[in-house]
Every structure is written in C-alpha cells, then in structure tokens.
Amino acid sequence: VQLQASGGGSVEAGGSLTLSCAASLHTFNKYIMGWFRQTPGKEREFVAAINGGSVSTNLADSVKGRFTISRDNAKDTVYLQMNNLKPEDTAVYYCAARWSGSFRETPRTRVEEYRYWGQGTLVTVSS
C-alpha cells in the first residue's frame, strides 16, 4: 500500500493550492480518504475526509468555506483544494486511508481510525 501526496509549496496569504494523493489500494472506492496536518511540536490534526462514493465529506471547522476535498475513483486519487490560505494553515499535510467496505460510511476524523498514511507534503503560507 502506498499513498503519494504532492502539490505542497509556498504561497502568500489569500492564495490557493491543490494537494493530490495518489493511492495504490485495491478497491480504492471502498476506502475513506482523509487529510491531516501537523506542525512541529503539535499533534496531527484532522483537516478533511471523504467516503468512498463521495456521498459525504467532513471538514474541520477551521477550514470550512475555504477547503474542499474530492476524489476521482477512476484515478485512485484524492484531492484537497485549499483557497484563501492563512499563515496558520502552514503545516505538513498527510493523506490517509481507512478501509470501509462501503461507499457510504461516515468519513472519520481521528488519526487512530486510519491505517495507511502517506509521506506528507509541506505547505507554507506567508503573511
């Protein structure tokens, strides 16, 4: 199992970035996919998640209205569109996968609920 995150970089406040996570998962469409982020000295925190059928998504309050999670099951890829970025969004962003076996399971928000993790991609937002 491999999750390859990409798309990180440096932007000014108010800018946008789109992160991608390409997965090598059998039956990708039956995995809940999530994005988490972490800054030095802090615990990894939930950002967004989406279930296998894109029936529902879950977003952290801090990113609602600015970030959008989506997936393309034909490409085994999940995306995180980040708009109106703020300096406090600076972090290493990780994608994660949780086996669901269902297209409709409610997207999970806790780190311990995800088994597979990507290597992380750094997002830096300057003021």
Side-chain angles (χ1 to χ4, degrees):
V1 174
Q2 187 173 13
L3 302 177
Q4 184 70 41
S6 61
S10 298
V11 296
E12 293 185 350
S16 298
L17 281 174
T18 299
L19 305 183
S20 301
C21 176
S24 63
L25 292 167
H26 183 59
T27 59
F28 173 75
N29 59 6
K30 293 188 177 179
Y31 281 82
I32 290 172
M33 299 300 296
W35 287 98
F36 293 76
R37 65 188 182 187
Q38 189 171 22
T39 55
K42 293 188 176 181
E43 294 188 352
R44 194 167 296 186
E45 66 173 6
F46 170 75
V47 176
I50 186 169
N51 61 11
S54 299
V55 175
S56 62
T57 63
N58 209 332
L59 292 166
D61 288 343
S62 59
V63 306
K64 284 181 180 176
R66 301 188 298 121
F67 291 12
T68 302
I69 186 171
S70 62
R71 65 192 295 161
D72 185 340
N73 287 340
K75 296 182 178 180
D76 292 356
T77 301
V78 62
Y79 305 96
L80 185 67
Q81 173 68 44
M82 306 184 294
N83 298 325
N84 190 21
L85 282 160
K86 303 176 180 181
E88 51 264 42
D89 294 318
T90 295
V92 176
Y93 284 71
Y94 298 89
C95 63
R98 168 187 168 84
W99 169 255
S100 172
S102 166
F103 299 118
R104 295 178 174 272
E105 181 179 346
T106 300
R108 305 302 181 94
T109 64
R110 296 186 300 170
V111 170
E112 58 266 30
E113 294 179 302
Y114 289 80
R115 179 175 182 181
Y116 304 108
W117 292 84
Q119 85 288 1
T121 185
L122 177 63
V123 172
T124 303
V125 184
S126 58
S127 57

